[in-house]
Amino acid sequence: MEVESINIKKATLNDIDQLQYIGRETFSETFSSSNTEENMSKYLDEGFSHEKLMDELSNVGSEFYFALFKNKVIGYLKINFGASQTELKDEEALEIERIYVLRAFHGKKVGQMLYEKALEIAKQKKTPYVWLGVWEENQRAIRFYQKNGFVAFDKHIFKLGDDEQTDVMMKLELA
């Protein structure tokens, strides 16, 4: 598989079924082994419901991008601006809320391409910094962001079903 054969495309309301599929699939692959079936089920049903995704896709402060290989969605990016951010709500900042890639495509630079898309948008918007939250147990993701220059600056609690988990908040200064 050549990196050149991967395309990045902005998702629209017409792509809701693909978004629901890739969202559920990648979240399951990433977190199922570390969480109870009940908590995963509840989160997948609520977090990736048709209604919730319609709201998110319609939100002017959020954007989704797909990574496509042979016209199949293999990963996605969600970024937030202004009041749509999950935590800091800094008008100047850009939040990377999600970068997920199907396990079969790990190690193929798909996550890096999605990350670079987020950075390109941040630079276009003259954002002084990009931030994100990553589960403290997800060492693979933490290493990915550290490799890209992010540093930890805080922590917050993320609820998955009835389980309270700690996310490490990381930021990258762009100015």
Side-chain angles (χ1 to χ4, degrees), residues 53-79:
L53 294 176
M54 284 288 282
D55 285 349
E56 290 182 3
L57 280 165
S58 303
N59 182 340
V60 295
S62 297
E63 293 177 3
F64 287 88
Y65 292 86
F66 287 151
L68 299 156
F69 178 66
K70 296 184 176 174
N71 291 322
K72 178 183 184 294
V73 178
I74 60 169
Y76 78 108
L77 160 71
K78 181 183 182 203
I79 55 177

Side-chain angles (χ1 to χ4, degrees), residues 36-48:
T36 67
E37 202 174 313
E38 296 75 31
N39 283 343
M40 283 298 293
S41 239
K42 183 175 173 13
Y43 187 83
L44 291 172
D45 288 347
E46 292 170 6
F48 296 99

Side-chain angles (χ1 to χ4, degrees), residues 23-110:
R24 287 182 174 177
E25 192 66 22
T26 53
F27 197 87
S28 291
E29 283 184 354
T30 307
F31 300 113
S32 284
S33 63
S34 317
N35 292 282
T36 67
E37 202 174 313
E38 296 75 31
N39 283 343
M40 283 298 293
S41 239
K42 183 175 173 13
Y43 187 83
L44 291 172
D45 288 347
E46 292 170 6
F48 296 99
S49 72
H50 211 264
E51 297 70 34
K52 185 165 192 310
L53 294 176
M54 284 288 282
D55 285 349
E56 290 182 3
L57 280 165
S58 303
N59 182 340
V60 295
S62 297
E63 293 177 3
F64 287 88
Y65 292 86
F66 287 151
L68 299 156
F69 178 66
K70 296 184 176 174
N71 291 322
K72 178 183 184 294
V73 178
I74 60 169
Y76 78 108
L77 160 71
K78 181 183 182 203
I79 55 177
N80 299 312
F81 316 98
S84 297
Q85 295 173 85
T86 57
E87 193 94 4
L88 297 182
K89 312 226 188 287
D90 181 338
E91 285 299 323
E92 302 287 300
L94 179 142
E95 174 192 17
I96 296 176
E97 185 179 346
R98 299 187 197 131
I99 293 180
Y100 286 105
V101 175
L102 289 171
R103 188 174 288 145
F105 293 91
H106 283 187
K108 310 260 192 247
K109 305 266 185 257
V110 180

